[in-house]
Amino acid sequence: MSLNTFGHLFRITTWGESHGPAIGATVDGCPPGVPLEAAMLQRWLDRRRPGQSRYTTQRREADEVEILSGVYEGQTTGTPIQLLIRNTDQRSKDYGDIAGKFRPGHADITYWLKYGIRDPRGGGRSSARETASRVAAGGVAREVLKALVPGLKITGYMVQMGPHEIDRARFDWEEISRNPFWAPDAAAAADWAVYLDGLRKAGSSVGAVVEVTISGAPPGLGAPVYGKLDADLAAAMMSINAVKGVEIGEGMAAARLTGEANADEIRMGANGPEFGSNHAGGILGGISTGQDIVVRFAVKPTSSILTPRKTVTRSGENTEIVTKGRHDPCVGIRAVPVGEAMAACVILDHLLLHRAQVGEGPRGRIG
Amino acid sequence: MSLNTFGHLFRITTWGESHGPAIGATVDGCPPGVPLEAAMLQRWLDRRRPGQSRYTTQRREADEVEILSGVYEGQTTGTPIQLLIRNTDQRSKDYGDIAGKFRPGHADITYWLKYGIRDPRGGGRSSARETASRVAAGGVAREVLKALVPGLKITGYMVQMGPHEIDRARFDWEEISRNPFWAPDAAAAADWAVYLDGLRKAGSSVGAVVEVTISGAPPGLGAPVYGKLDADLAAAMMSINAVKGVEIGEGMAAARLTGEANADEIRMGANGPEFGSNHAGGILGGISTGQDIVVRFAVKPTSSILTPRKTVTRSGENTEIVTKGRHDPCVGIRAVPVGEAMAACVILDHLLLHRAQVGEGPRGRIG
Amino acid sequence: MSLNTFGHLFRITTWGESHGPAIGATVDGCPPGVPLEAAMLQRWLDRRRPGQSRYTTQRREADEVEILSGVYEGQTTGTPIQLLIRNTDQRSKDYGDIAGKFRPGHADITYWLKYGIRDPRGGGRSSARETASRVAAGGVAREVLKALVPGLKITGYMVQMGPHEIDRARFDWEEISRNPFWAPDAAAAADWAVYLDGLRKAGSSVGAVVEVTISGAPPGLGAPVYGKLDADLAAAMMSINAVKGVEIGEGMAAARLTGEANADEIRMGANGPEFGSNHAGGILGGISTGQDIVVRFAVKPTSSILTPRKTVTRSGENTEIVTKGRHDPCVGIRAVPVGEAMAACVILDHLLLHRAQVGEGPRGRIG
Amino acid sequence: MSLNTFGHLFRITTWGESHGPAIGATVDGCPPGVPLEAAMLQRWLDRRRPGQSRYTTQRREADEVEILSGVYEGQTTGTPIQLLIRNTDQRSKDYGDIAGKFRPGHADITYWLKYGIRDPRGGGRSSARETASRVAAGGVAREVLKALVPGLKITGYMVQMGPHEIDRARFDWEEISRNPFWAPDAAAAADWAVYLDGLRKAGSSVGAVVEVTISGAPPGLGAPVYGKLDADLAAAMMSINAVKGVEIGEGMAAARLTGEANADEIRMGANGPEFGSNHAGGILGGISTGQDIVVRFAVKPTSSILTPRKTVTRSGENTEIVTKGRHDPCVGIRAVPVGEAMAACVILDHLLLHRAQVGEGPRGRIG
């Protein structure tokens, strides 16, 4: 998990800058014999693609993924899969002001300080564009999971935009794909639409909370104590642009609970132990329980806004900056498929790790 | 960062079970020529050691660390440092009930499901006792940091116990070491004492939030995009027992902010750029800005409580469980030095990673 | 160093099949600010390119490398560098016979057994074509080395073809680039030309020994005991197609020496200690001494020959096979730049590892 | 495979200096449920232990291994296994001369140059004593292999001492354990005894070649192209003290062969394909064929000899050195169990890697 590679055994290395010729992902460690075609990955990329509603950046990228290696006659061969996505809409003139100034809240300044050089066009490597590569690679992970754990399902959705949370009592899985915010609550989605229109017109931006639920994962995934499933999920989500917090199950709210309230009591069910609640978010001691795995992350507002902010130039003069470009008023929206993709990579990785150390399936039996 | 090893270049591998002969940490990648003696590590272990106040488990462990290798005439040699801590107080009879039943909210059940075998004495590998090894290893990291970045300071403290938060207006760095809760707010500490006494007498437990501030870290630490400083901090903290959430800077609250509110504006100061606020928690794009690095994590309540909870036996019968043993009513207290230790390991690791790729210090200059 | 990635900090991941659309290398961990253009890499690729003399395969590949990321305005940015080489000459009809039969001595059979699927066109992933990616990535390493250790020089050459060795008494560095075999002995090169013509016309093939000398490397590179410089060099060379043996300094012949004969005696010179001989090949205890680092490897003959060999079909029938295609009578020739490239990667990797742990330059002084 | 850790999934980290309190190995990634007791490891350590015949160093170490973690009620639990070996015979006075001078051919000088500090007692970390930890860890790997691949057998033996090779026509597996040299040729063993007595009395030393054969390994182990089975075997063997060359199958002699001679022809046998020869040493394209895996390595003579050699002091004065101590006239003898141990680690590691990516057993079928 060093530098630009994520994963222990199912390893993705993403590469490319926002305004270079292309971006992509090198996927290594993929099991052989899994059906794979570009269209299977395109499906997920299309969910992340900008310019699909007025709530995301109007940059128009085709985001077409090509598979350059690792697949033969429609099946993975077990060798590295190179996924390439060409950059087609690179209006770098929009970014003229950024080259010499630093956007407050943006990685401009830290890239510059660290490396002493950076590609300023569209954020270069720090652009959210990098997440397209993750979505493509996550699509590979999904296809492998489909082959190995047929019932497994990974679903991301937004549970909060700015200060506005969904009402869990109205939670509806079917609703998620019906609104442009991936909200599981139709009423919240309607409110958000109005709220975000206001922000967008004001050239402002706002944060969000995204939740990803993984259902159907077998118990036993994860490895104590530094390869914990939740530690890897936390790293995965925190590595996404603009993420500032990660929670598993109760998350930060677990601090408020007593031991009695937090205990997920257990009873025998028809097919093994069943839990009366899921405060744990499906993970105990870093290992999956078989319940839904629930991970949540907060995305900060994009730093590209129309209101002037104080900053400095590279030569050290005080100035102000306004970011015109074409930006997302709420990048959290497009973070939903990215969170799903990262979750898919982590789950598959731990499935392979478990198979390596223990063999197929959990080794312990209850009852 | 696989299984029981943490870190890219400064790597710690912890080993040992709660009730085996010893636990410890194998520290690899340590720079040579750093003054190191057991007493330097003991200092931090003593902070984590149980039985120091009535608010922590009454298990009495000497927690004396021995350095078995990697040090010659009081200096590190650059070879692996083996840190050994003998287990001295192993009343395993306390744990009789646990061998056959699973504690709700505890890793008992997942270790069993995954491996089909586990050391049930005191939680075995999943015991919070493992964190003593981290504190010892973190002590090594601290000594190296002292040599490499003299001004750097890592301070952990509790900011919330159960529903009770500190008042940031009363924040006092000096207060932290004066109360048994590492609280930076004397009034909160007084309240917590009463609150926790009640819980302790009732055989209950409660969660907490711990914050760690790293001041004096140079800008430029961290590596896009999967070796981000915050991604590694998130993994580090989430790997600590009972942690369910991790935040950087604003954390989950970043979701509520607009771009205007979230921007940490920049002005030139005497020694380079200065920031008007620190919503970012000292990290932008996964790379340190030079501001204080602020990470926060939530610790759930320990699952070992006196109130009976529903559970099942290994053979699949419904039953109830009460955990007598000697347990912490608020494990968050002892998580404070653990969080500091993990922070030290991450910062040192990234300091070495930066030195490898870029050389000494940040490469970019402003002004 | 797992699966398709090589290196600890300077990491190359190669991808692609012989007859897919492209092959390439993802280079991660490159220092920033190093001048880099495609032409600098092309120079080395041109040395490896087939079809340049009658002694290598007549397959005609342009082997033009494109840099898709990680470089801005002619300098590395510290982000991943994607190197892409399109496959242009893919006469896959030549390989019809290979799809259903296994070539004795070739990876056909093991890829099939392991994965149950393989791309049979031109050997797919096991083709020597993969080494073009290594040469491109090694070219990046060379440019970084040029910036970090100006005097360092990496030179590969053939010292044996079939049973015919060079005469070390005639060793001439200048001669290496003058003959098509990279032989440092003009007389040997002349003999080899006649010898290889005979083999080529007979549709046969033969093995070779390649030596790589790294001069000007500082002392102190390498890390005990599993990250030894020689262990990494051994892995690097053994990972090249068709390599069956690796030697450092005296190599296998060290077994014949007594302690007296093997000792490289030391005397103080003008600039520090000097060695009277170099049986060690520049490495002691896995760490460089400052002398020339000398690594040697044996390449077996290609298994693609015109004389029929007994084999079996995928369905298990006994049969014979003749490989027509266009093949190298002595693949060792084209292994020379590949060995150089791998050496460059290893040296740079250890330079970065050393800088991480110890800082710039050796820490110990003599005199 | 960085610094002091070896392996991808079955990972061993050795630690400790020759004359510190103890040495040991931290073994991570071990499958659960494997019967394991110290006696099972002791068996192999006893083979490596010095002082057993007049042909090895007279240093007397009990080399008793203790298992400190990872085993419960005689079975591995899947958590890290800490193996501890106390140093009991530490006559460090023997080494007085070495602290200030550098032994030609020894790691003294490179450790000093790299780190600027080293434990000079008995070679410190560079002592062959480190290999005891490998043998213990390899013992764990052997027990796991016994459980997973019952028919697999790993046998090491010496095939050359100084210039004296065994006669392959007299190869006898039974003979190996009957003589103090692990020679498979009784006549050679008798000759070597006389030869080595002469060297020993003269205070000299000599090199050797060790071969390790792994029979019963399934086809399909190994992973292109940098995780090749032979690349990992090469790194494993080259990481052993004093090793200067590694060969697979024909090894360096493969350079002399034509394609016709090198081809291991294939015929269908009762249980699948059979090979008419084994020039490949059981590995093609980095993946095992199912034949015997044959790896060979050359051990240089120990640099500790009684004849004075020219060297320098730390302060840069020319001088001479004689190493009195108690040393092995032919360290190759004790390298035999070490080579076996490393082979066991590599094979198990790749068995787990294969199981992770592909599942149990080879996926492809022939016939």
Side-chain angles (χ1 to χ4, degrees), chain A residues 1 8 115 267 319 363, chain B residues 1 8 115 204 267 319 363:
Chain A
M1 212 181 297
H8 304 273
Y115 296 117
R267 295 277 88 170
T319 184
R363 189 164 176 271
Chain B
M1 210 181 297
H8 304 273
Y115 296 117
S204 183
R267 294 278 88 169
T319 182
R363 189 164 177 270

Side-chain angles (χ1 to χ4, degrees), chain A residues 193-281:
Chain A
V194 177
Y195 173 69
L196 199 57
D197 266 331
L199 286 168
R200 186 173 54 83
K201 285 169 191 166
S204 184
S205 65
V206 76
V209 177
V210 173
E211 187 170 286
V212 179
T213 293
I214 302 133
S215 61
L221 301 187
V225 296
Y226 301 109
K228 281 178 173 165
L229 185 59
D230 34 5
D232 279 356
L233 282 169
M237 299 311 165
M238 199 64 100
S239 78
I240 300 172
N241 304 44
V243 171
K244 300 304 283 186
V246 182
E247 303 186 312
I248 304 291
E250 283 290 327
M252 299 305 291
R256 300 179 177 276
L257 298 182
T258 61
E260 292 78 10
N262 186 61
D264 298 315
E265 293 185 306
I266 317 173
R267 295 277 88 170
M268 277 307 286
N271 304 308
E274 291 175 359
F275 296 83
S277 52
N278 191 10
H279 298 290

Side-chain angles (χ1 to χ4, degrees), chain B residues 79-340:
Chain B
T79 61
I81 301 169
Q82 184 58 252
L83 304 173
L84 184 105
I85 303 167
R86 288 171 211 279
N87 291 326
T88 52
D89 183 6
Q90 309 154 15
R91 279 194 246 169
S92 56
K93 62 180 178 314
D94 285 355
Y95 294 94
D97 205 28
I98 294 170
K101 296 178 184 178
F102 303 106
R103 280 170 286 181
H106 194 278
D108 288 341
I109 193 167
T110 50
Y111 270 65
W112 172 255
L113 287 170
K114 183 178 185 75
Y115 296 117
I117 181 175
R118 70 190 181 88
D119 182 344
R121 299 166 302 164
R125 177 75 179 146
S126 71
S127 167
R129 184 143 184 70
E130 184 269 342
T131 60
S133 305
R134 301 181 187 226
V135 171
V140 177
R142 279 176 187 271
E143 295 303 320
V144 183
L145 285 171
K146 199 195 290 184
L148 296 182
V149 192
L152 189 141
K153 206 172 167 189
I154 297 171
T155 314
Y157 41 90
M158 261 179 69
V159 295
Q160 184 181 334
M161 179 188 287
H164 307 294
E165 298 183 36
I166 61 161
D167 180 345
R168 296 258 169 189
R170 288 194 300 254
F171 198 107
D172 176 5
W173 292 99
E174 302 301 315
E175 176 59 29
I176 293 170
S177 57
R178 287 195 206 119
N179 63 71
F181 309 112
W182 317 108
D185 169 355
D191 291 346
W192 294 355
V194 177
Y195 172 68
L196 199 58
D197 266 332
L199 285 169
R200 185 175 55 83
K201 286 169 190 163
S204 183
S205 65
V206 76
V209 176
V210 173
E211 188 169 285
V212 180
T213 293
I214 302 133
S215 60
L221 302 187
V225 295
Y226 301 108
K228 282 178 173 166
L229 186 58
D230 35 4
D232 279 357
L233 282 169
M237 300 310 166
M238 198 64 101
S239 78
I240 300 173
N241 304 44
V243 171
K244 300 304 285 184
V246 182
E247 302 187 312
I248 304 292
E250 283 290 328
M252 298 305 292
R256 299 179 177 277
L257 298 181
T258 60
E260 290 78 11
N262 185 61
D264 298 315
E265 292 185 306
I266 318 174
R267 294 278 88 169
M268 277 308 285
N271 303 307
E274 290 174 2
F275 296 83
S277 53
N278 190 11
H279 298 289
I283 302 175
L284 288 172
I287 301 171
S288 66
T289 62
Q291 292 183 277
D292 282 1
I293 297 167
V294 182
V295 58
R296 213 159 32 248
F297 56 92
V299 183
K300 71 177 184 184
T302 177
S303 55
S304 300
I305 50 175
L306 281 180
T307 307
R309 292 285 106 185
K310 290 179 194 162
T311 190
V312 297
T313 64
R314 205 182 285 176
S315 51
E317 282 143 30
N318 286 333
T319 182
E320 290 198 333
I321 191 164
V322 165
T323 317
K324 279 169 192 154
R326 298 153 297 167
H327 297 288
D328 289 283
C330 179
V331 279
I333 301 170
R334 288 168 58 213
V336 171
V338 182
E340 289 179 345

Side-chain angles (χ1 to χ4, degrees), chain B residues 2-4 11 14-17 21 26 28-29 68-70 72 75-77 79-80 82 115 117-120 125, chain D residues 2-4 11 14-17 21 26 28-29 68-70 72 75-77 79-80 82 115 117-120 125:
Chain B
S2 77
L3 300 177
N4 293 279
R11 295 163 69 82
T14 63
W15 54 270
E17 277 78 40
T26 311
D28 198 12
L68 296 189
S69 65
Y72 182 66
Q75 287 196 312
T76 59
T77 59
T79 61
Q82 184 58 252
Y115 296 117
I117 181 175
R118 70 190 181 88
D119 182 344
R125 177 75 179 146
Chain D
S2 76
L3 302 175
N4 292 279
R11 294 163 70 83
T14 63
W15 53 270
E17 278 78 40
T26 310
D28 198 10
L68 295 189
S69 66
Y72 182 65
Q75 287 196 312
T76 59
T77 60
T79 62
Q82 182 59 252
Y115 296 118
I117 180 175
R118 69 187 182 90
D119 181 346
R125 177 73 179 147

